[in-house]
């Protein structure tokens, strides 16, 4: 399933129309699909408000209102602009209402807003079809701020059409105010704005409807990960041994952060890694050995470790960074690893040290995946976090392609960027996973999967997906507030079948 920007969606619309499907027919399909979903939220006594803006999103709302009225529901239709400002297809939908003598109120002044406020007091559901995905960064008339404030004060269900009004469809930031929806009915394809930044909080629960637009009608390499997109886990052959499933080397931990390496080791083991060896500093060897899984090997190193020191390990992938700290210089260790041919996963403090030698990546032929959150990525590329939030897709894609690395940019909808320009938005995970050690588990999982002869990009996608799915499993059964990194590890056995 592909993810699109508003501009890409507009081009897909135009291609569909040019191929013979009128725009008003697409509006009818969208309205029918949305009305069918909205009906499941209503009982016989429901009072519905449908707020329609001047564009095609508003036209969808006009169709929804008409269909619900024809089904016998009590619907109050509102239009936020005069006919002169409506799109051509929306005018056709408005005429259909007029032909059926269906009334519609116009919101122009404070008196109209007071009418809306009174009707809201007895309403049971609000449909937001004011602004669509093409909203750009510009000043909004004060009237819309007042409408949004009224709707956000509504204590019952709010359903947005395609995207909550006030939210930018490209980057998921508001233009100063936006409607908080309980549910968003996304038309045809997920828009980037629903998945980035504030988008998930404003969109609420999302449900997708198909109106017959071909997502492959334009070049686009952005995807929304589904389980059947993944090539892992794979069926194991009978005549195999532990080294067939990867020997993973983890370089992790420091005084005060001894648990990071243990969590990474467990993530690698529980995702199927055949053998995991953890290298830790001398001063934390005893506590790590005491707490590490019995299946793991634990060895010590000093800050002068090089790839030569671990040459006797039958390794297939190396993970460096969880909990190593910033007090010592690990950059030269990274330089040694980047001179090799084995896949390297760089996480957490490893990214801090990578920033010192980041240009080395351009010359390296070592397969690399980095796993930064936004603050770490900001430091790595020396761009303020606020600027990255305005174009996370662009920054992530550019870095992955320029530096020949797989980038796992962590967030609620974590993005995995491939070196060929592909972008995969993860579809699993929940806020309970924002907990200490969760990233260490993910890094270990990616390394553990990569060690099983899985391409590093595939390993990153699978690791992110199943990491989130394990968190979702726990949250579904026990709630989000008690979720810990170990909860994710223990839940892997239920989702990695």
């Amino acid at each position: 399933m592909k993810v699109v920007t508003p501009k890409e969606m507009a081009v897909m619309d135009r291609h569909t129309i040019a191929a013979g499907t009128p725009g008003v027919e697409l509006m009818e399909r969208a309205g029918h699909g949305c009305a069918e979903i909205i009906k499941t939220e209503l009982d016989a006594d429901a009072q519905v408000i449908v707020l329609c803006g001047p564009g095609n999103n508003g036209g969808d709302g006009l169709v929804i209102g008409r269909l619900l009225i024809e089904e016998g529901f009590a619907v109050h239709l509102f239009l936020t602009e005069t006919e002169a400002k409506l799109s051509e297809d929306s005018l056709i939908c408005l005429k259909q209402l007029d032909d059926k003598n269906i009334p519609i109120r116009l919101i122009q002044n404070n008196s109209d807003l007071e009418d809306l406020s009174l009707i809201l007091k007895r309403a049971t559901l609000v449909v937001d079809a004011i602004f669509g995905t093409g909203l750009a960064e510009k000043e909004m008339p004060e009237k819309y701020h007042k409408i949004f404030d009224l709707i956000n004060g509504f204590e019952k269900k709010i359903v947005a059409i395609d995207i909550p009004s006030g939210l930018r469809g490209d980057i998921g930031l508001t233009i100063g105010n936006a409607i908080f929806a309980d549910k968003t009915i996304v038309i045809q394809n997920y828009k980037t704005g629903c998945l980035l930044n504030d988008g998930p909080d404003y969109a609420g629960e999302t449900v997708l409807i198909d109106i017959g637009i071909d997502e492959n009608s334009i070049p686009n390499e952005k995807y929304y990960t589904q389980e059947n997109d993944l090539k892992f886990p794979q069926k194991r052959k009978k005549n195999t041994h532990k080294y067939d499933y990867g020997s993973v080397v983890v370089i992790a931990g420091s005084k005060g952060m001894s648990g990071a390496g243990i969590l990474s080791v467990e993530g690698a083991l529980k995702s199927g890694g055949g053998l995991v060896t953890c290298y830790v500093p001398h001063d934390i060897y005893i506590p790590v050995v005491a707490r590490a899984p019995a299946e793991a090997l634990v060895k010590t190193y000093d800050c002068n470790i090089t790839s030569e020191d671990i040459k006797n390990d039958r390794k297939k992938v190396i993970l460096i960074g969880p909990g190593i700290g910033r007090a010592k210089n690990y950059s030269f260790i990274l330089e040694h690893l980047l001179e090799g041919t084995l896949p390297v996963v760089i996480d957490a403090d490893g990214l801090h040290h990578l920033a010192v030698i980041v240009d080395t990546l351009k010359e390296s032929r070592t397969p690399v995946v980095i796993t930064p959150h936004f603050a770490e990525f900001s430091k790595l590329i020396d761009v303020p976090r606020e600027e990255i939030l305005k174009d996370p897709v662009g920054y992530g894609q550019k870095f992955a392609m320029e530096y020949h690395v797989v980038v796992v940019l962590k967030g609620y909808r974590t993005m995995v960027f491939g070196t060929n320009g592909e972008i995969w938005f993860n579809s699993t995970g929940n806020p309970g996973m924002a907990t200490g050690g969760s990233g260490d588990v993910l890094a270990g999982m990616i390394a553990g999967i990569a060690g099983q002869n899985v391409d590093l990009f595939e390993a990153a996608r699978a690791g992110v997906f199943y990491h989130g799915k394990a968190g979702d499993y726990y949250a579904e059964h026990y709630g989000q507030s008690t979720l810990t990194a170990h909860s994710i590890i223990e839940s892997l056995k239920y989702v990695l079948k």
Side-chain angles (χ1 to χ4, degrees):
M1 181 190 305
K2 292 195 174 182
V3 175
V4 298
T5 64
K7 289 182 180 179
E8 288 169 335
M9 190 73 238
V11 175
M12 288 160 59
D13 281 343
R14 289 198 293 271
H15 284 185
T16 305
I17 293 168
T21 303
V24 71
E25 170 61 22
L26 294 176
M27 201 169 278
E28 283 288 326
R29 293 178 189 176
H32 274 80
C34 292
E36 286 300 311
I37 292 171
I38 293 168
K39 278 162 50 178
T40 65
E41 307 280 352
L42 306 176
D43 57 32
D45 299 323
Q47 294 273 328
V48 182
I49 293 175
V50 182
L51 295 164
C52 305
N56 287 346
N57 191 254
D60 296 339
L62 295 173
V63 175
I64 292 166
R66 187 191 81 229
L67 294 171
L68 293 178
I69 288 171
E70 290 174 349
E71 289 277 348
F73 292 104
V75 178
H76 304 272
L77 273 161
F78 286 86
L79 197 57
T80 64
E81 299 292 345
T82 61
E83 291 186 29
K85 293 187 177 181
L86 265 61
S87 69
E88 183 178 339
D89 289 334
S90 292
L91 280 171
I92 296 173
C93 296
L94 184 64
K95 186 177 184 307
Q96 290 176 322
L97 293 175
D98 189 51
D99 291 343
K100 294 176 179 291
N101 296 313
I102 295 174
I104 186 166
R105 294 174 173 85
L106 185 63
I107 301 177
Q108 288 186 300
N109 51 45
N110 287 336
S111 176
D112 300 325
L113 288 168
E114 288 173 7
D115 288 343
L116 172 60
S117 180
L118 288 172
I119 295 172
L120 275 168
K121 290 179 180 178
R122 61 178 186 270
T124 53
L125 184 142
V126 170
V127 177
D128 162 31
I130 301 174
F131 295 133
T133 59
L135 200 62
E137 182 62 57
K138 62 180 180 180
E139 284 294 319
M140 217 171 26
E142 183 62 25
K143 172 177 71 175
Y144 286 102
H145 286 282
K146 292 178 179 179
I147 293 172
F148 291 178
D149 289 343
L150 279 175
I151 301 307
N152 285 335
F154 181 63
E155 296 181 352
K156 296 177 183 175
K157 194 141 195 177
I158 301 170
V159 177
I161 305 305
D162 212 17
I163 197 167
S165 293
L167 187 69
R168 286 183 56 175
D170 52 355
I171 59 174
L173 295 174
T174 72
I175 59 170
N177 199 354
I179 289 177
F180 278 99
D182 298 292
K183 175 182 284 188
T184 297
I185 304 173
V186 179
I187 298 171
Q188 195 60 56
N189 288 82
Y190 281 105
K191 315 306 182 296
T192 48
C194 279
L195 305 175
L196 296 171
N197 294 313
D198 299 323
D201 282 314
Y202 280 88
E205 177 193 354
T206 55
V207 58
L208 201 68
I209 61 169
D210 187 343
I211 63 170
I213 295 174
D214 181 9
E215 66 177 19
N216 295 312
S217 61
I218 62 169
N220 176 26
E221 296 299 323
K222 297 184 292 296
Y223 303 90
Y224 193 61
T225 308
Q226 305 294 297
E227 194 159 12
N228 58 11
D229 294 319
L230 305 173
K231 298 176 182 178
F232 178 88
Q234 301 164 341
K235 185 176 180 180
R236 294 193 172 199
K237 295 180 179 178
K238 296 180 177 65
N239 186 26
T240 53
H241 52 77
K242 62 188 175 188
Y243 291 111
D244 291 319
Y245 303 108
S247 175
V248 178
V249 167
V250 178
I251 303 172
S254 60
K255 197 167 184 178
M257 292 188 286
S258 60
I262 296 171
L263 290 170
S264 295
V265 165
E266 291 187 299
L269 285 170
K270 287 289 188 178
S271 56
L275 179 67
V276 181
T277 304
C278 187
Y279 280 83
V280 299
H282 293 287
D283 55 0
I284 64 169
Y285 176 75
I286 297 301
V288 170
V289 167
R291 295 172 54 201
E295 299 88 347
L297 298 177
V298 181
K299 299 183 180 182
T300 63
Y301 70 91
D302 59 31
C303 202
N304 295 315
I305 187 174
T306 69
S307 56
E308 290 297 307
D309 295 312
I310 53 178
K311 65 183 178 181
N312 293 325
D313 295 307
R314 294 171 61 178
K315 54 194 178 297
K316 284 191 175 180
V317 61
I318 300 170
L319 164 61
I320 181 171
I324 60 175
R326 302 181 180 185
K328 299 177 180 179
N329 180 15
Y330 284 81
S331 300
F332 73 94
I333 299 177
L334 283 168
E335 285 183 306
H336 278 287
L337 296 177
L338 295 176
E339 290 172 355
T341 57
L342 292 174
V344 177
V345 180
I346 306 173
D347 178 55
D349 290 327
L351 298 165
H352 168 81
H353 298 288
L354 177 66
V356 179
I357 58 159
V358 66
D359 285 339
T360 304
L361 290 171
K362 291 183 178 179
E363 305 302 322
S364 172
R365 291 296 173 261
T366 305
V368 173
V369 59
I370 62 173
T371 59
H373 51 59
F374 277 83
E376 291 167 335
F377 191 55
S378 169
K379 181 173 182 179
L380 185 64
I381 67 174
D382 196 24
V383 173
R385 183 175 182 273
E386 293 71 23
E387 289 302 311
I388 296 174
L389 293 178
K390 294 177 183 177
D391 186 18
V393 172
Y395 279 109
Q397 186 181 50
K398 179 182 178 182
F399 188 88
M401 296 179 72
E402 182 177 347
Y403 288 87
H404 316 293
V405 299
V406 175
V407 178
V408 176
L409 188 53
K410 294 184 291 193
Y412 178 68
R413 288 286 172 246
T414 292
M415 290 173 278
V416 182
F417 299 87
T419 58
N420 62 352
E422 276 189 41
I423 306 163
W424 289 79
F425 290 81
N426 190 42
S427 59
T428 60
N430 63 81
M433 299 177 70
T435 184
S438 177
D440 301 323
V441 176
L442 173 60
M445 289 179 63
I446 294 172
I449 294 169
Q452 297 170 65
N453 300 312
V454 178
D455 172 80
L456 202 55
F457 182 52
E458 296 289 337
R461 289 170 51 212
V464 168
F465 180 87
Y466 285 110
H467 179 260
K469 190 172 181 181
D472 288 343
Y473 177 90
Y474 182 90
E476 181 182 349
H477 288 81
Y478 308 107
Q480 295 180 10
S481 61
T482 60
L483 198 160
T484 66
H486 264 292
S487 307
I488 299 169
I489 292 167
E490 289 304 308
S491 297
L492 284 173
K493 61 189 174 188
Y494 301 109
V495 300
L496 270 177
K497 294 184 179 179

